[in-house]
Amino acid sequence: MGLHKTYRLKKRQVEALKGVDLHVESGEIFGVVGQSGAGKSTLLRSVNLLERPDEGSVRVGGEELTALRGSRLREARRGIGMVHQHFALLSSRTVAGNVGFPLEVAGVSRSERSRRVGELLELVGLSDKARAYPSQLSGGQKQRVGIARALAPEPKVLLSDEATSALDPATTESILSLLRSLRDELGLTILLITHEMDVIKRICDSAAIMENGEFRESGRVLDLIGTPGSLLARSLFPLPDNGGPETVVITYPRSFDEPFMSELTRRFDVDVNILGGGVEQVAGQSVGRLSVDMRGSRRAEALTYLSEHGLLVEEAGK
Ligand code: ADP
Ligand code: MG
């Protein structure tokens, strides 16, 4: 892909994408995380060519979108749904009217439309709200309408621009579970962008960290966490910054129920002092990350033992 995008403004240029390579596997949930202004929205809009990259190509489902124009491009775009942060619903239309809107535009008959809208509302758990207006809905319900509308043309790919950023934590959780179950049931491929690490942790199979128009790292979430120096691991597991030269960060990216700390002190006679850390569910697996001070004459042997047992060991200053 190698996407580049420069916005030419009156006085200055903004290089929003500086050569981004993004590859999303079919059926996976891929999250791009980064701070405001990193270029996430520009990247997402490049995927359906709402924003045409200056350089690079975009392929979706084997089709090169960047080579398409006019009606062929509009056709291809129907295979890509989009969910927005602020829902973008039509306030004068009912829930059913909003969900059916893309079908109306595509010239689908009234009876077929009402059948599809019924199915879609059931899928997102809003069957009883068909006649309600957006102003009568909670934020989470509005986003469900946004998702149902995005799914109306039966896309294979769903793009989500901060879909949960305007929602409270409990509602965020329910929308994320909905997205995951839609992926499982419909075989959707989902590309989402977010500034919340929690979203990556909860539902993403793969992720990229974006900064200043570039990916700092990207890959399968569990692989990244098992990679020394991973930014993603550091962001998912904030550790106290109180380490010294004896500090070691230990990551175990799989279900690991052996009591390795007590084993370590017994076998190698090291003193272990836990500085911080925790265990989190990441990509459906339990992952632990601990920052510890380890001292003793057999410290190096102890660390080798951990590495040999599949734990990632990162030493301070190395
Ligand atoms: P994010 O979604 O990560 O917050 P954006 O993709 O929206 O980042 O923006 C990336 C950069 O491009 C920012 O510096 C932003 O100001 C600039 N930018 C985005 N859209 C436009 C536009 N339409 N015109 C000019 N500059 C833009
Ligand atoms: Mg944005």
Side-chain angles (χ1 to χ4, degrees), residues 61-139:
E63 189 160 39
E64 182 152 348
L65 295 198
T66 25
L68 303 179
R69 290 279 193 278
S71 63
R72 299 270 313 280
L73 178 58
R74 280 196 295 278
E75 174 77 20
R77 274 198 190 123
R78 273 202 281 278
I80 307 174
M82 177 108 166
V83 183
H84 306 269
Q85 177 178 5
H86 295 294
F87 325 121
L89 303 179
L90 300 166
S91 58
S92 61
R93 284 179 161 241
T94 61
V95 164
N98 270 282
V99 175
F101 187 64
L103 301 174
E104 222 173 294
V105 172
V108 175
S109 74
R110 181 182 287 266
S111 61
E112 171 67 8
R113 229 156 58 211
S114 95
R115 191 186 63 78
R116 286 279 300 141
V117 168
E119 279 177 8
L120 288 160
L121 289 180
E122 192 167 336
L123 202 59
V124 300
L126 280 185
S127 298
D128 57 334
K129 296 286 182 203
R131 291 165 189 280
Y133 284 88
S135 60
Q136 300 169 306
L137 303 178
S138 70

Side-chain angles (χ1 to χ4, degrees), residues 112-185:
E112 171 67 8
R113 229 156 58 211
S114 95
R115 191 186 63 78
R116 286 279 300 141
V117 168
E119 279 177 8
L120 288 160
L121 289 180
E122 192 167 336
L123 202 59
V124 300
L126 280 185
S127 298
D128 57 334
K129 296 286 182 203
R131 291 165 189 280
Y133 284 88
S135 60
Q136 300 169 306
L137 303 178
S138 70
Q141 290 169 331
K142 285 182 198 163
Q143 195 53 290
R144 285 169 189 269
V145 177
I147 292 171
R149 180 187 53 193
L151 295 177
E154 301 186 62
K156 291 267 174 292
V157 175
L158 192 65
L159 306 178
S160 158
D161 190 340
E162 303 272 6
T164 59
S165 298
L167 306 175
D168 62 65
T171 312
T172 292
E173 182 64 45
S174 82
I175 293 292
L176 294 179
S177 328
L178 173 64
L179 289 176
R180 187 169 37 206
S181 71
L182 290 172
R183 185 276 299 273
D184 295 344
E185 284 170 35

Side-chain angles (χ1 to χ4, degrees), residues 1-6 15-23 39-49 51-60 64-66 191 210 212-215:
M1 308 227 312
L3 295 180
H4 289 260
K5 175 76 193 180
T6 305
E15 219 183 336
L17 299 180
K18 301 175 185 166
V20 172
D21 281 306
L22 167 70
H23 182 79
K40 305 182 299 294
S41 295
T42 305
L43 174 64
L44 205 69
R45 288 200 303 269
S46 302
V47 173
N48 57 11
L49 254 55
E51 207 79 75
R52 202 169 258 282
D54 306 323
E55 263 178 61
S57 65
V58 177
R59 302 180 69 87
V60 177
E64 182 152 348
L65 295 198
T66 25
L191 172 61
M210 192 166 188
N212 260 317
E214 289 174 299
F215 279 179

